[in-house]
Amino acid sequence: MSCSFDLEDGFNGPVCGLDEAGRGPLAGPVVAACVYVPATVRDLPFWAEVNDSKKLSAKKRDTLFDLIQTHCVCGIAEASVADIDQMNILRASLHAMSKAFDLAGGTADWLALVDGNQKPKLPATIQTVVKGDSKSRSIAAASILAKVTRDRIMADLCAQYPVYGWSKNAGYGTAIHMDAIEKHGVTPHHRTSFAPIKKALGHAA
């Protein structure tokens, strides 16, 4: 199944896509986005390029980010490092999705297509879609908004903490990042509930 509006077309009512970015990194927030694509804009040419954000270049994601926000109803939210460490990364991700849905103005008559197999708490009907960012254009659009937003957050944080290379690794545990943790320690933006950070702090993993 290629990325399309087929899932959206099967529902008689507003359909939004939900996705998150940043579950795996050792630092920074997790960001979620909700996108409702009105039927009136689904024929615009740029939709042919909308796909799983990981399959697109950074330049293409930036271009699509602006187009999606211009033509769609969107909500973008984050769960902080404190949220992640307090409630765990899965719950924090779902919490961010719930906030993004609310920011998009989602209501009980919407259908929410959610990437993955876990359901956030929403007042709407939910359909989970494994690898949804490669199947649903609404989810793919949400994946682009979430990733671009998070990458920009990490680039801003990298300006304050340049040794960790966050503008390039987005907080993932790359060799440069891990070496910097060993040499310089952890920052307030590191997730202390994640095993490599616990180890760096001297706690049992």
Side-chain angles (χ1 to χ4, degrees):
M1 183 179 182
S2 61
C3 202
S4 70
F5 287 114
D6 288 352
L7 289 171
E8 290 87 337
D9 290 340
F11 184 76
N12 185 26
V15 182
C16 66
L18 282 157
D19 201 3
E20 50 71 30
R23 277 178 61 170
L26 304 179
V30 62
V31 176
C34 175
V35 178
Y36 162 53
V37 186
T40 52
V41 304
R42 289 184 189 174
D43 291 333
L44 293 174
F46 77 87
W47 288 110
E49 300 177 274
V50 171
N51 205 334
D52 174 3
S53 62
K54 296 183 290 296
K55 298 178 181 177
L56 304 172
S57 69
K59 185 177 180 181
K60 178 62 67 179
R61 287 195 298 266
D62 284 341
T63 299
L64 292 172
F65 180 91
D66 293 336
L67 288 166
I68 292 164
Q69 290 210 305
T70 298
H71 295 287
C72 302
V73 179
C74 308
I76 304 173
E78 65 180 79
S80 67
V81 169
D83 293 332
I84 293 166
D85 288 338
Q86 182 180 356
M87 60 176 82
N88 81 38
I89 184 60
L90 173 59
R91 289 179 183 169
S93 299
L94 297 175
H95 177 62
M97 284 187 183
S98 298
K99 290 200 293 184
F101 182 85
D102 289 342
L103 288 171
T107 60
D109 63 335
W110 285 28
L111 169 67
L113 299 174
V114 178
D115 186 57
N117 60 6
Q118 300 287 328
K119 293 183 178 182
K121 290 182 180 178
L122 303 177
T125 302
I126 300 171
Q127 180 179 335
T128 56
V129 187
V130 175
K131 296 186 178 176
D133 46 10
S134 296
K135 299 173 183 176
S136 157
R137 287 235 164 95
S138 298
I139 296 177
S143 81
I144 291 167
L145 295 195
K147 179 162 177 54
V148 170
T149 299
R150 190 178 187 283
D151 284 352
R152 290 175 179 177
I153 290 170
M154 296 310 295
D156 287 344
L157 290 175
C158 188
Q160 300 173 50
Y161 301 91
V163 295
Y164 301 92
W166 290 339
S167 61
K168 290 191 170 68
N169 62 44
Y172 283 89
T174 62
I176 289 173
H177 190 180
M178 298 307 295
D179 186 53
I181 290 171
E182 189 172 327
K183 289 180 179 175
H184 304 282
V186 302
T187 72
H189 302 288
H190 280 101
R191 302 172 179 179
T192 58
S193 57
F194 278 41
I197 306 304
K198 278 187 183 179
K199 183 179 179 182
L201 290 168
H203 302 159

